[in-house]
Amino acid sequence: MGSGEFMPEKLETCIDEVNSLSPDLVALTGDLTNSGFEREYRQAKNYIEKFKAKTVVIPGNHDTRSTGYIYFEEYFGEANQVLDFGNVTVVGVDSTLPDNNEGYLGRDRYLWLNKNLGRVEKGDFRIVLVHHHLIPVPGTGMERNELIDAGDVLATLVSNKVNLALCGHRHVPYTWQLENLMVITCGTACTGYVRARIPQAYFIINIKDSSMKIILKEVGGKEKFLRSVKY
């Protein structure tokens, strides 16, 4: 929100498509605003409330510009959060450094992740949301896009048997598999900030019967099956 590249018609289409799927959860991996201004947060909140499913939202580097982290908590609650869906646990962790494009977790958040993931029942599915990339992604340009401490964060996730990590940041949809961890980097559904031939899109992730099916859906367009993973 707030950028001249914002495409409201794409977002409206995306919301309608997602609602038609009746998902259990809509996960948003940050950069809801362009500059962290309150008017942008108000607009983002109005759109996000149109999703019929439960939503989990974490901040991106754009959201914490201009002390926008204050508005994030006012409009969306704690940046670090844990949601329990029975046999699925979703953990959102804030990787932003205010007024800085790079991301970092640090020791305190490793401990926070260890504490909360350590409470998850054995065999339950574990999902972690973090805005910045955990693994470099092709076509994302020269700016550093992965977490400064990505290695330590990956080690924390793998040691806690996390099944799925969802990232955002550079608007290039991509998937990596590292040991038993699937890492998905999301694109953008509603801005013109995309690389050549990458459409506005979102992921549909189906988790059922010890398997995960990953589909990339172009907003207003076709679906592309990417992979199926056993866990």
Side-chain angles (χ1 to χ4, degrees):
M1 312 296 169
S3 164
E5 292 293 331
F6 173 51
M7 305 167 74
E9 71 285 354
K10 288 285 187 181
L11 182 52
E12 292 282 4
T13 299
C14 174
I15 292 169
D16 289 342
E17 290 178 353
V18 170
N19 284 340
S20 72
L21 297 171
S22 300
D24 295 301
L25 179 71
V26 175
L28 305 173
T29 54
D31 283 354
L32 312 171
T33 71
N34 186 56
S35 301
F37 297 147
E38 185 172 19
R39 64 177 181 272
E40 297 173 346
Y41 271 105
R42 282 197 299 267
Q43 186 181 23
K45 181 73 170 178
N46 288 337
Y47 276 112
I48 290 170
E49 286 180 341
K50 295 182 180 181
F51 286 112
K52 295 178 181 179
K54 186 173 184 61
T55 59
V56 56
V57 183
I58 60 170
N61 56 295
H62 283 264
D63 303 320
T64 56
R65 290 178 176 175
S66 311
T67 63
Y69 51 84
I70 295 173
Y71 293 126
F72 183 91
E73 292 194 355
E74 289 181 3
Y75 282 82
F76 297 107
E78 290 289 334
N80 299 301
Q81 54 190 298
V82 181
L83 288 84
D84 184 0
F85 288 86
N87 60 348
V88 177
T89 297
V90 180
V91 177
V93 61
D94 182 7
S95 63
T96 64
L97 298 167
D99 294 307
N100 194 315
N101 287 331
E102 293 185 338
Y104 178 74
L105 290 194
R107 180 170 172 75
D108 286 348
R109 288 179 185 153
Y110 308 156
L111 295 173
W112 183 85
L113 283 168
N114 283 327
K115 177 181 177 181
N116 286 283
L117 291 170
R119 293 172 174 168
V120 179
E121 292 290 333
K122 183 179 180 180
D124 284 359
F125 196 88
R126 296 162 168 84
I127 303 173
V128 170
L129 278 63
V130 57
H131 178 69
H132 293 83
H133 299 192
L134 293 170
I135 302 175
V137 174
T140 52
M142 292 180 65
E143 178 199 337
R144 183 184 182 115
N145 53 70
E146 69 272 13
L147 285 167
I148 294 171
D149 54 344
D152 290 309
V153 177
L154 283 168
T156 300
L157 301 188
V158 170
S159 68
N160 282 285
K161 302 187 186 322
V162 172
N163 303 95
L164 174 63
L166 300 177
C167 310
H169 197 42
R170 298 294 282 170
H171 302 180
V172 176
Y174 212 79
T175 65
W176 290 107
Q177 188 167 8
L178 178 67
E179 297 190 21
N180 293 319
L181 171 66
M182 176 58 61
V183 179
I184 295 180
T185 300
C186 304
T188 177
C190 59
T191 78
Y193 287 118
V194 291
R195 273 64 176 168
R197 306 196 187 284
I198 296 179
Q200 287 74 29
Y202 55 93
F203 281 99
I204 301 170
I205 303 169
N206 294 311
I207 302 167
K208 185 178 181 181
D209 298 331
S210 298
S211 69
M212 174 170 46
K213 184 168 74 171
I214 302 168
I215 295 168
L216 183 65
K217 175 65 172 69
E218 181 179 347
V219 176
K222 59 186 179 181
E223 293 183 0
K224 180 181 180 181
F225 171 77
L226 297 184
R227 63 168 78 192
S228 183
V229 182
K230 292 288 186 181
Y231 63 88

